[in-house]
Amino acid sequence: MTDPIPDPHLEQAAAQIRAARASDNRLAVEAFFDEPTNTASYVIHDPATRRAAIVDSVLDFDAASGRTSTASADAIIAFVKKEGLTVDWLLESHAHADHLSAAPYIQRELGGKLAIGREIVTVQNVFGKIFNFGTEFARDGSEFDRLFEDGDTFSVGSIPAMVLHVPGHTPADMAYVIGDVVFTGDTLFMPDFGTARADFPGGDARQLYHSIRRLLSLPDETRLFLCHDYKAPGRDTYAWETTVGAERAGNVHARDGVDEDAFVDMRTRRDATLSMPKLILPSVQVNMRAGNLPEPEENGRRYLKLPLDTL
């Protein structure tokens, strides 16, 4: 057996987590769960400086009527104002296929830089063709304020943060390691529900396996905050917080002992039985534009595209 390839970014993340756990100033996390899309959004902040970030916000969208609303985002904004926080970052873990991002709306209200992984340009190129967007769609990630690469660092107030690239669900998935906490996006779910699908354009089950094992190489006590929960069979309440140790011991798809080929076979077979998310077509075409809705046409109305017989 060959020795594992050194991963300096993972080693740095592990060191950051251990140092944060020894600190008196621990990241504060407030979750906001949107049941219609099964999405957990987060307001996180440094208690010492009151500087904050918002992770994976939701714009309410009714597909039947085509109406948008901001109740979910307004709850986040109200919390930030009530707590006296200053928002520095609006973090997107990837271009979501199950909800529209509210980041531009929140940014207008609270400020902050809107960030995502650099591989969003891959998603923009793939789906730009699917939606037949013209040359007016730049496909260079310029709609975002910051494009993160693997190992990039930033901070939330005085609390250090870094970014790990965890592709597989999509090419652009990022995990945010902030203090002793990791926001995993869609890569992992609760141990009793398993892992993300990998059959969207640009997805890859083998990449997903390696991304999961990368995250599960962090210290066992690392807190993981997930982007979704669907209440696994036998569980009556929603949950979105777990630990590396709990995932390694009990994840039904990716616990310790499940090898790469077994995971890929399981994931491929399972994904073949899944229908497309209800909001994938409106979500992706909005989220790859950093959550910006299409510009109004001559009649003053905005329109979303619906490619037929494609996905």
Side-chain angles (χ1 to χ4, degrees):
M1 179 181 293
T2 59
D3 292 332
I5 298 172
D7 187 336
H9 297 150
L10 195 64
E11 293 169 3
Q12 182 182 349
Q16 174 188 299
I17 289 165
R18 294 188 183 99
R21 289 186 63 81
S23 171
D24 293 331
N25 190 41
R26 302 279 291 279
L27 186 75
V29 180
E30 184 75 17
F32 295 78
F33 190 73
D34 179 62
E35 190 166 351
T37 63
N38 298 93
T39 301
S41 304
Y42 301 96
V43 177
I44 60 178
H45 76 271
D46 171 10
T49 65
R50 313 302 291 174
R51 312 299 292 197
I54 296 168
V55 183
D56 289 334
S57 60
V58 173
L59 180 71
D60 303 308
F61 178 69
D62 180 68
S65 66
R67 290 191 175 276
T68 62
S69 58
T70 60
S72 296
D74 288 337
I76 287 175
I77 292 167
F79 176 82
V80 168
K81 291 181 175 179
K82 178 176 72 73
E83 294 296 316
L85 306 178
T86 299
V87 173
D88 292 327
W89 293 101
L90 299 151
L91 303 174
E92 296 289 332
S93 59
H94 63 295
H96 305 275
D98 36 43
H99 70 271
L100 280 64
S101 170
Y105 172 73
I106 294 174
Q107 188 178 45
R108 289 192 294 271
E109 296 292 319
L110 299 176
K113 293 181 179 179
L114 177 50
I116 200 167
R118 181 168 295 280
E119 286 302 312
I120 188 64
V121 299
T122 301
V123 176
Q124 289 177 330
N125 276 287
V126 170
F127 278 93
K129 294 173 184 175
I130 288 174
F131 291 111
N132 197 32
F133 290 154
T135 56
E136 75 282 357
F137 181 48
R139 299 170 170 84
D140 61 0
S142 56
E143 301 87 349
F144 298 85
D145 300 311
R146 176 78 180 268
L147 299 181
F148 284 124
E149 297 190 39
D150 187 52
D152 278 353
T153 59
F154 63 106
S155 65
V156 177
S158 64
I159 295 177
M162 72 175 301
V163 184
L164 296 176
H165 185 210
V166 286
H169 174 58
T170 79
D173 280 65
M174 307 300 277
Y176 294 101
V177 185
I178 305 176
D180 67 330
V181 169
V182 181
F183 297 90
T184 68
D186 285 13
T187 304
L188 282 165
F189 298 138
M190 292 298 290
D192 58 0
F193 200 85
T195 62
R197 65 195 297 168
D199 61 330
F200 296 154
D204 185 289
R206 290 192 184 278
Q207 276 192 332
L208 180 61
Y209 177 83
H210 289 288
S211 293
I212 290 168
R213 297 318 306 177
R214 194 181 192 207
L215 290 177
L216 297 187
S217 296
L218 293 169
D220 279 356
E221 63 272 17
T222 304
R223 293 188 293 163
L224 304 179
F225 286 90
L226 317 178
C227 190
H228 296 289
D229 187 57
Y230 303 94
K231 289 196 296 190
R235 175 158 54 86
D236 295 328
T237 57
Y238 291 110
W240 45 79
E241 180 181 357
T242 182
T243 66
V244 165
E247 294 282 5
R248 291 185 62 172
N251 187 287
V252 294
H253 296 162
R255 64 189 176 273
D256 286 356
V258 176
D259 67 23
E260 180 177 341
D261 287 340
F263 176 84
V264 170
D265 180 67
M266 175 282 301
R267 193 68 266 170
T268 303
R269 291 173 181 271
R270 181 175 173 82
D271 289 352
T273 71
L274 302 177
S275 58
M276 285 288 104
K278 292 184 298 182
L279 297 183
I280 184 172
L281 293 175
S283 293
V284 173
Q285 63 186 293
V286 168
N287 294 338
M288 69 180 182
R289 290 184 171 115
N292 292 297
L293 298 174
E295 290 297 319
E297 297 190 8
E298 294 84 353
N299 61 1
R301 293 194 176 99
R302 304 175 190 268
Y303 292 87
L304 294 169
K305 285 190 171 184
L306 186 68
L308 301 179
D309 303 319
T310 302
L311 298 183

